[in-house]
Amino acid sequence: MEQYAIKGGNPLVGEVEIGGAKNAALGILAAAIMTDDTCMVENIPDVRDTNVMLQAIESIGASVNRKDRHTCEISGRNIVDHTIDNDYIKKIRASYYLLGALLGKYKKARVSLPGGCNIGLRPIDQHIKGFKALGATVRIEHGMIVAEADSLKGAHIYLDVVSVGATINIMLAAVMAEGTTIIENAAKEPHVVDVANFLNTMGGSIKGAGTDVIRIKGVPRLHGTNYMIIPDQIEAGTFMFAAALTKGDVTVKNVIPKHLESISAKLSELGCQVEESDDAVRVVATRQLNHTHVKTLPYPGFPTDMQPQITVALGLSKGTSIVTESIFENRFKYVDELTRMGANIKVEGNTAIIDGVARYTGASISAPDLRAGAALVIAALAAEGVTVIDDINFIQRGYEDFHLKLQSLGGIIEIVDSEKELQKFRLKTG
Ligand code: EPZ
């Protein structure tokens, strides 16, 4: 089983290109099947989740023509099946976006009910509420969600909770409905806006994405388009915090600084120097970090997907910090792993009380989920000695060439696949 072997202590220095946003790509790849024309989608991150989504749309008959690692031509012309079976949902929950896309275009869809995951129960009641409001019947049978409608009619939908997935899925179902749909209390994440922009380039008529009220005027059909996905704010934020933890000097390139504002603001509070330019942000950290407090919130608040990364940074800061996770109910599982590296953190419900320590020390640990795994990698890069991380497939779901990008910044990290390779790494890195 592949592991990351990491020797900590080197400050990360240099520039790193940020890839396309995974969470925008998953909605956009699902939306692309809503036309019989061809969509050319660029800047798709070459990560496990997007590759599984491409397999899922191919499995129902859509044509998928990979031009290169990051570019794909997609058409829904030959779709013959409206069932997404459990294989794909088990691998990535976001294949449920095909529910909205297939319902929106074909008025019928069958998708396996996604289960919970390592960070929480992940219900989809708001998605179903939206589909029903548009006139679909939705039932659960044999573990599948079956959504069908004679026709879909615009509706006024008020989300009970701000949900990225429900906002995107309802947009997909409503974009070709008769009449106008209004989504209130909508999620405002950059990836929600990117999916709305993509649908508009296909002939959709969506206004207000990025605010909490989205208006969707249904159109009879969608046409092909060429589209470039926005940069990934969470990949960028992860490298920015890696600079902070290792007392480095890292410039993340090909980013939209506006999407990183809450992350940059927290890094400044921690005592880092943060410099923004048009499509890059530089983070310089020269001394021990300050403590601070943070609460995760829907965009534009501090992202829940950056909660593990700021927690590992605060674990090395001066003083006591409090991190409150307001989005998911079980997103501190990684703290046990971090404790093995010497962290002094007490988790009480959805709050972590962090007493900063002078150093982390290398240990054998496991990645409990995607973002926590990435946070443990950057903690290991700041630790004394060697850390070995298991279950790195979680991390590879959302970070393209993670170890190569970190190597390019001076990080000592390799993928090892046996005890022998690990011993070689230990000998080589002393
Ligand atoms: C998306 O998940 C992201 N995934 C998550 O990123 C991210 O953490 C999350 O949004 C919040 O920003 C993708 O975009 C593929 P939600 P999603 O619906 O859509 C509750 C990563 O690391 N809720 O915004 O599933 C839910 O339980 C992943 O890339 C309902 O109650 O998140 C949660 O408490 C991890 N009913 C809150 O809303 C619903 O019907 C926010 O969830 C839907 C959600």
Side-chain angles (χ1 to χ4, degrees), residues 315-374:
L316 285 182
S317 68
K318 257 194 318 290
T320 301
S321 305
I322 295 177
V323 176
T324 307
E325 171 56 60
S326 78
I327 309 288
F328 290 111
E329 66 270 25
N330 188 21
R331 201 164 199 174
F332 284 117
K333 276 177 63 179
Y334 62 94
V335 167
D336 291 344
E337 303 300 305
L338 200 57
T339 303
R340 293 169 55 77
M341 297 176 71
N344 183 355
I345 301 176
K346 189 168 168 39
V347 176
E348 287 177 3
N350 68 343
T351 301
I353 298 137
I354 304 160
D355 284 324
V357 294
R359 71 184 62 76
Y360 291 142
T361 53
S364 290
I365 55 177
S366 297
D369 61 72
L370 164 58
R371 303 302 177 186

Side-chain angles (χ1 to χ4, degrees), residues 22-24 26 49 93-94 96-97 117 119-128 161-168 187 189 191 234 297-299 303-305 326-329 331 369-371 398:
K22 167 181 82 83
N23 293 344
L26 293 170
D49 278 11
R93 302 167 37 78
Y96 58 34
Y97 285 145
C117 71
I119 61 175
L121 290 171
R122 314 293 295 273
I124 60 165
D125 57 299
Q126 299 300 301
H127 302 233
I128 292 171
V161 58
V162 175
S163 161
V164 167
T167 303
I168 290 175
E189 273 69 5
H191 30 293
I234 306 300
L297 288 169
Y299 190 86
T304 175
D305 289 349
S326 78
I327 309 288
F328 290 111
E329 66 270 25
R331 201 164 199 174
D369 61 72
L370 164 58
R371 303 302 177 186

